[in-house]
Amino acid sequence: MILFPAIDLKDGQCVRLKLGDMAQATVFNDSPAEQARSFEDQGFEYLHVVDLNGAFAGESVNGAAVEAILRMVKFPVQLGGGIRTIAHVERWLEKGLARVILGTVAVRDPALVREAAQKFPGQVAVGIDARGGKVAVEGWAETSELDVVELAKRFEGAGVAAIIYTDIDRDGILTGINWDSTLHLARSVSIPVIASGGLASMDDIRRMTEPDAQVLEGAISGRALYDGRIDSREALALLRGERA
């Protein structure tokens, strides 16, 4: 079970949004690379990064910040936001990303996702962001009529490394992971699922250790880590079955 610390990039800074609203951004660090190194020093094993501006623009906007992160740390990094073409995927993997996350394009052009997953095995994940159970795209600015599980099943057998499932209605407001919908998705597909949105406290970490949650690959934590609601040492020890 992996706990992924999150770095969301807006205008070159490390921020957290509330409910996916770009107007409700809290800046936590002016240096995303330094923040990444801090997470690595704390013992985290994998970093989750999102280019928020890129998600709206449809192309990389905070590329310089991402590259600075990659130069700063040794642990694997996955990136989402604005990656919409095979060329985008290839360029980022060549720069040293462990995994790219395809979100909007998974709805708009699922064939491209399948092509990327075949061309770069183990390095392509699908980001499914949902509002009210329906898939949202274009940086969460638009909500489709597509059901979460319906979209996920389109990629069964395609070689997708993971699905990052975000409940937008809980993102950044510390109300706890939507366990019902997340575990329902994880049980509905064979692709590993990573929970995102709402992780609030050590209660969520403890919930991750329950037997039914073992179907997940892990969960992403943002604001709860920045606010100190989660003790990284205690959380990582708990997930590894160790004593902190």
Side-chain angles (χ1 to χ4, degrees):
M1 184 73 71
I2 303 170
L3 183 61
F4 297 79
I7 291 181
D8 287 357
L9 300 170
K10 179 177 182 285
D11 304 331
Q13 298 175 309
C14 175
V15 307
R16 294 303 295 167
L17 303 185
K18 185 176 288 186
L19 300 173
D21 185 353
M22 289 285 272
Q24 298 189 67
T26 303
V27 177
F28 282 100
N29 199 321
D30 287 328
S31 172
E34 291 292 346
Q35 184 64 60
R37 185 165 65 180
S38 173
F39 283 140
E40 188 173 49
D41 290 345
Q42 289 171 51
F44 290 99
E45 297 174 356
Y46 213 125
L47 179 66
H48 176 77
V49 180
V50 177
D51 181 345
L52 294 172
N53 302 104
F56 283 94
E59 60 184 6
S60 176
V61 174
N62 289 287
V66 177
E67 290 180 35
I69 289 171
L70 292 172
R71 288 193 297 270
M72 182 71 77
V73 299
K74 293 184 174 62
F75 65 170
V77 178
Q78 64 182 21
L79 172 69
I83 303 173
R84 306 282 169 87
T85 68
I86 294 291
H88 287 165
V89 172
E90 190 163 17
R91 185 165 69 244
W92 275 118
L93 293 177
E94 286 176 349
K95 288 180 181 294
L97 282 178
R99 191 153 66 184
V100 296
I101 304 164
L102 303 179
T104 294
V105 74
V107 177
R108 306 283 197 232
D109 190 359
L112 186 148
V113 177
R114 296 188 195 97
E115 180 186 349
Q118 292 298 314
K119 189 172 182 179
F120 307 104
Q123 295 184 286
V124 175
V126 168
I128 299 182
D129 306 326
R131 183 182 283 112
K134 299 297 184 181
V135 177
V137 295
E138 305 293 348
W140 301 352
E142 300 177 22
T143 303
S144 72
E145 290 303 312
L146 192 59
D147 179 75
V148 169
V149 173
E150 180 187 349
L151 177 60
K153 285 185 173 180
R154 292 182 180 180
F155 301 106
E156 284 278 31
V160 169
I163 290 173
I164 292 91
Y165 172 62
T166 303
D167 185 333
I168 300 169
D169 297 320
R170 296 183 179 228
D171 189 68
I173 59 171
L174 301 167
T175 56
I177 288 172
N178 185 336
W179 289 104
D180 288 344
S181 63
T182 302
L183 293 178
H184 172 64
L185 172 62
R187 288 190 291 263
S188 299
V189 294
S190 60
I191 306 165
V193 172
I194 299 167
S196 174
L199 197 152
S201 66
M202 290 301 297
D203 287 340
D204 279 313
I205 301 297
R206 284 186 281 272
R207 180 69 180 85
M208 289 169 67
T209 68
E210 294 295 322
D212 65 335
Q214 299 307 300
V215 68
L216 299 175
E217 179 176 290
I220 292 166
S221 179
R223 188 175 290 270
L225 276 174
Y226 291 102
D227 286 351
R229 295 167 188 262
I230 291 175
D231 179 282
S232 58
R233 181 168 172 267
E234 181 183 354
L236 291 171
L238 189 61
L239 292 174
R240 292 168 184 158
E242 305 166 351
R243 290 190 175 183

